[in-house]
Amino acid sequence: LPRASRTLKGNKRRAVFDRLIVPKNGYHLPDPIRVLEPDLPTQPVGKRVWITTVILYEISISYEGKPQKNVYRIPFSDIVGDPVSEEKLNTGYEFTTVQGETLLVKWYAANQREDQGLIVHNKSATGSSWYEPNWGQIYGVGLEWIACDGTDQGTIWANRHIGHTNTVTNGSISESIYNKTAPPDHSLVAVRPGLMLGNPEPYRTLWLMGQELPMRVYPAIGPIGKGCIFGFNENVMKFLTVKPPVPPVLAFLGAGTARSDAVNVKWNKDELHEGYTRIGMQVLSGANLITRTNPSYPTDGSLALISNPTTLNHGGANLSSIYFADGTGEVRIRLLLLECDASGNPQYVLNCTETVWHWAAGSNTCPISQESCSGQLPYPVKVESACGGGGSPIQTPTDPTPPSQTSGYAYYCDGSVDPSSIDTSYWVGDRKLPPAAADYIQQQYGVTIDERFWEGRNGWLNLFNKLDMGTTYTRSVITPTDFHKFLFKTLKDLETGSGEMIDAPDWQSFKVWCERSGLSCLTDLQKASLFCSYRLGVPVNFFSSAANYLEGNVLDVLTDALVLLPRGIYDWIDFNDVVSDTGGAVTGAFASDIPVPDFKAFRSFVNFEPQALNFNIGAAKAHRPVDYVKLPGTQWGAVTNVNYSQYYLPNMTDANYKPYVAAEVGIHEIGHAVSYFGLDFYGQILHEMPEWLSISGWSPDAPSKSPSDVSAHLVKTRSASETGGMPKTDANKEAPVTDYGCFHPAEDFAEAYRMYILNPVFLEQKFPKKYAFMLDKVEPMFG
Ligand SMILES: [Zn+2]
């Protein structure tokens, strides 16, 4: 896929530079990976339903362009009350998304059940831009429903826009329904592009929606500053009521007042009953006390149908009059609410009551009693399970663990992909050594670079071991296993757009995701490899010596920092104890490259040592920049009293700094690799360029000096407050960003690069020439 444009404004935190799957606007969008499901169900469910859960899909795009999905599952009773209450229906339910937006979710209780809907209103949204989020980063709204009799259930997704909300006052939303008959998928106002990092990218968002949402793609719509009211599939909605059910009524009116009673029937059926009804009457006993009826109905116990078929859910039947004889005893008359077909033939009994007149001698009025029906009924009873809104009578978990499912990554464990069928070719094409260089390392060192990734990687490690005796690179040589082949397949799939998104925002939830996605055969080290490889887009390998990286949120912090780096700087990352730390020097990380043009096929590799998590917070120079003085003839400098706290990065605290420090060390080292990459790109190592050397006033031969040669160090004896707020060397040049940067032009560059990646605002404001160098020279190398 083509790369998305990167902004050259320099602030990488805001730059959207796609790595894997994001097409540029105008690029023909590939078909979604996922087969879109129809909006279920396709037929009326025909029975009462409960809504048990409201599902909200939040999708955002991380800084490096990866989609991130959060699924909120809210018990429906939290939104409408349990039992349903007016107050809850009015005020709804509020929560904060991971994006930090406060969303108000509320049920829109329309008069027609089909027009009910769900309101999502972003209380945090302000502003007037079309691209301001007006109801959060919510791209999918769904309802889980279950039939009251438990025989049917499913999920329906919002498929139309039936209105919007205006304001929230005193917790109550004002609603505006401007098109409650909007057809499914109808976009009334605008497709909301989402993603506020950099340019709005509607194509990307829509494409991601198709990839990630298990539903019909429904573009979000709605004017700015207004919430959205979503409508759902009427095949479910017409059987749903969130109001308490209207109690069924079946009774005589006016009975028991005289020997000649004028009586009528009042009835009210279950409001969700579909179909025709009519009223039936039977005189069960006491017929000898009935002299006649008007109109004339049988008094022999047979069924009289006393109303016409109707689809209304309430009504009356005019029995008119019953004339009682002047005697003593009981008269029992049964009333039946009957379901019938369209031509009036009864099928079922929906409701049944028996009314008893208790006549006493000489009395012209009598008490009556209502009793339930007993004995043989003329038609079978059809039971309507009573369920209205609010909590379900069926115990459904409020947040059920998603069912175990085989993800698109199950091949790691289930044997569905033959590892020998995976093509791991990597050191080919422009990553293949020129024949002369390949011959040279073969003859000189006995090393061959295999075309396959892992075998070739071993070759490079063997070569480094020969070139640099001080480091035991061969500790990272591995015997490629099936896991390594699968890891390569994963990265290849992601690169070509056929990879599946992993629904886990961080390392801890990733481990849970593995368990329910068919990846429980992996060790934690392998899971960490997959997690980091997925996030960074290159193979990452964890060795047991570096297991301390798997604790807490270390991997989250580290990968969050490393993804700020552009792609293409390094070929892989290892986490392993490779360097033997002796003489008090501790190596936290290193990046290895071979700065010879013939070897440009190899970019670099990065190794994180377990010791990187042992440094103290003072090593976090990008997160908490300091001003310094560096006196002549000394090694390390000293911190001045200039206060740079306004430039501190807030995520890092005194308590959680360790992974941040490791990330800083790693990015410093990668900065060296970037500098050497200049040789491949410009034919000149970046820190040896005259443009770089002149910024801080390095002498032309400074790159050839040893960093331990104190006489070649730059000198800065004044604090920034003594030089107009801008850090200056004693030669009035822009100073290196740290005292360590004064040791050597290469360290100067690596320190500045780390600042550029992690704290570009500080670099831009205090070291504008170094910042400009990053924009002018470094950015084009990866653009
Ligand atoms: Zn360095």
Side-chain angles (χ1 to χ4, degrees), residues 668-669 672 740 747 750:
H668 169 104
E669 298 303 329
H672 289 307
Y740 187 47
E747 303 306 339

mmCIF file of all heavy atoms in Angstrom, residues 668-669 672 740 747 750, ligand 1:
data_model
loop_
_atom_site.group_PDB
_atom_site.id
_atom_site.type_symbol
_atom_site.label_atom_id
_atom_site.label_comp_id
_atom_site.label_asym_id
_atom_site.label_seq_id
_atom_site.Cartn_x
_atom_site.Cartn_y
_atom_site.Cartn_z
ATOM 1 N N HIS A 668 18.036 6.876 21.803
ATOM 2 C CA HIS A 668 19.379 7.450 21.623
ATOM 3 C C HIS A 668 20.218 6.534 20.721
ATOM 4 O O HIS A 668 20.859 6.998 19.768
ATOM 5 C CB HIS A 668 20.066 7.643 22.974
ATOM 6 C CG HIS A 668 21.537 7.972 22.881
ATOM 7 N ND1 HIS A 668 22.025 9.244 23.077
ATOM 8 C CD2 HIS A 668 22.611 7.191 22.607
ATOM 9 C CE1 HIS A 668 23.347 9.234 22.920
ATOM 10 N NE2 HIS A 668 23.731 7.990 22.642
ATOM 11 N N GLU A 669 20.184 5.230 21.020
ATOM 12 C CA GLU A 669 20.990 4.300 20.238
ATOM 13 C C GLU A 669 20.518 4.228 18.789
ATOM 14 O O GLU A 669 21.313 4.178 17.863
ATOM 15 C CB GLU A 669 20.953 2.902 20.873
ATOM 16 C CG GLU A 669 21.540 2.857 22.277
ATOM 17 C CD GLU A 669 22.980 3.347 22.334
ATOM 18 O OE1 GLU A 669 23.712 3.173 21.339
ATOM 19 O OE2 GLU A 669 23.356 3.925 23.363
ATOM 20 N N HIS A 672 21.925 6.857 16.659
ATOM 21 C CA HIS A 672 23.212 6.568 16.001
ATOM 22 C C HIS A 672 22.983 5.841 14.676
ATOM 23 O O HIS A 672 23.634 6.131 13.663
ATOM 24 C CB HIS A 672 24.095 5.699 16.917
ATOM 25 C CG HIS A 672 24.633 6.440 18.107
ATOM 26 N ND1 HIS A 672 25.317 7.631 18.001
ATOM 27 C CD2 HIS A 672 24.605 6.147 19.437
ATOM 28 C CE1 HIS A 672 25.685 8.047 19.204
ATOM 29 N NE2 HIS A 672 25.256 7.159 20.101
ATOM 30 N N TYR A 740 26.106 15.242 27.758
ATOM 31 C CA TYR A 740 26.704 14.114 27.046
ATOM 32 C C TYR A 740 26.851 14.426 25.558
ATOM 33 O O TYR A 740 27.762 13.932 24.890
ATOM 34 C CB TYR A 740 25.860 12.858 27.254
ATOM 35 C CG TYR A 740 26.487 11.608 26.695
ATOM 36 C CD1 TYR A 740 27.833 11.304 26.932
ATOM 37 C CD2 TYR A 740 25.744 10.717 25.920
ATOM 38 C CE1 TYR A 740 28.412 10.156 26.414
ATOM 39 C CE2 TYR A 740 26.316 9.572 25.400
ATOM 40 C CZ TYR A 740 27.645 9.286 25.656
ATOM 41 O OH TYR A 740 28.219 8.156 25.144
ATOM 42 N N GLU A 747 27.375 11.726 19.593
ATOM 43 C CA GLU A 747 26.506 11.767 20.769
ATOM 44 C C GLU A 747 25.616 13.009 20.724
ATOM 45 O O GLU A 747 24.458 12.958 21.142
ATOM 46 C CB GLU A 747 27.334 11.740 22.053
ATOM 47 C CG GLU A 747 28.261 10.538 22.178
ATOM 48 C CD GLU A 747 27.549 9.201 22.016
ATOM 49 O OE1 GLU A 747 26.313 9.139 22.199
ATOM 50 O OE2 GLU A 747 28.217 8.209 21.677
ATOM 51 N N ALA A 750 22.826 11.938 18.505
ATOM 52 C CA ALA A 750 21.920 10.936 19.097
ATOM 53 C C ALA A 750 21.068 11.554 20.197
ATOM 54 O O ALA A 750 19.877 11.239 20.330
ATOM 55 C CB ALA A 750 22.729 9.762 19.642
HETATM 56 ZN ZN ZN B 1 25.493 7.224 22.139
#
